[in-house]
Amino acid sequence: MFSPPVGRSFIKFILILFFGGEIPSKKSRFKDLKRIVYGLRDNYNLKEEQSFILQFLRMRYPHKKIDELLRCVTDGKNDQGIDAIYSVKSDEEVYFIQSKYSDKMNTAGLYEAQGSFQNLSRSIKKKSEFDKIQNRANKRLKERMKEV
């Protein structure tokens, strides 16, 4: 099982955001991303949020097979704010990924995302909080933590 990263520098945190909206210069890009997200959702029987995370992983790690990237997604009930975990074995890096996906752009959503992200990064670095995360984690998250 993954041990808490207290005092180690190989842990990295990534926050990915998608807040759609009516920004004219960005509208076509939002539509393109949503089309891709919907396609992944339908092809792999995922929720939209999970599809968004999968697309991010596909873009960041294009050399990886989709099945390997799907195993990284931990989003769901009791995910403890960890929507995906990706590890780079050669660099001994572990990325904890949190995402926020919404059709509406608003300031409250951005503040919520920032607060959740800060709580996650603090919790991962404290052994007592890390143990709580492992105890309350959903099945997918527990399995992924064992893998990395």
Side-chain angles (χ1 to χ4, degrees):
M1 180 171 283
F2 184 74
S3 60
V6 177
R8 302 181 79 177
S9 61
F10 68 95
I11 298 299
K12 308 229 179 199
F13 298 94
I14 299 173
L15 174 63
I16 54 175
L17 302 170
F18 175 77
F19 292 102
E22 298 301 317
I23 301 172
S25 65
K26 309 286 186 206
K27 198 171 185 178
S28 66
R29 285 190 243 161
F30 288 148
K31 284 183 179 181
D32 290 343
L33 179 59
K34 285 191 81 157
R35 181 182 44 77
I36 293 167
V37 166
Y38 290 161
L40 291 170
R41 176 198 65 193
D42 296 343
N43 289 338
Y44 296 99
N45 196 27
L46 301 169
K47 293 188 270 180
E48 279 182 50
E49 297 84 0
Q50 295 167 331
S51 302
F52 172 62
I53 298 162
L54 180 59
Q55 177 58 17
F56 167 80
L57 291 169
R58 288 177 61 207
M59 291 170 59
R60 183 154 175 127
Y61 308 104
H63 59 285
K64 296 293 180 181
K65 293 182 180 178
I66 196 107
D67 290 340
E68 184 179 347
L69 297 175
L70 278 166
R71 281 196 312 273
C72 298
V73 178
T74 59
D75 178 63
K77 186 176 179 180
N78 296 323
D79 67 15
Q80 306 303 305
I82 302 169
D83 297 323
I85 301 175
Y86 185 84
S87 66
V88 181
K89 302 266 187 223
S90 61
D91 297 334
E92 294 187 358
E93 293 179 336
V94 178
Y95 293 88
F96 288 86
I97 300 169
Q98 186 177 71
S99 69
K100 298 295 177 198
Y101 180 89
S102 174
D103 284 339
K104 297 183 175 135
M105 179 182 285
N106 61 49
T107 307
L110 292 173
Y111 285 127
E112 176 193 345
Q114 180 183 15
S116 297
F117 186 71
Q118 288 172 339
N119 288 339
L120 172 63
S121 61
R122 280 192 296 266
S123 295
I124 293 292
K125 293 177 181 177
K126 292 181 183 175
K127 181 172 177 15
S128 62
E129 292 299 314
F130 187 83
D131 291 342
K132 287 179 189 175
I133 288 173
Q134 286 184 313
N135 291 335
R136 294 183 296 213
N138 66 29
K139 182 181 175 185
R140 293 176 86 183
L141 179 56
K142 285 180 181 179
E143 288 172 359
R144 186 67 188 142
M145 291 174 106
K146 287 178 185 177
E147 292 175 10
V148 294

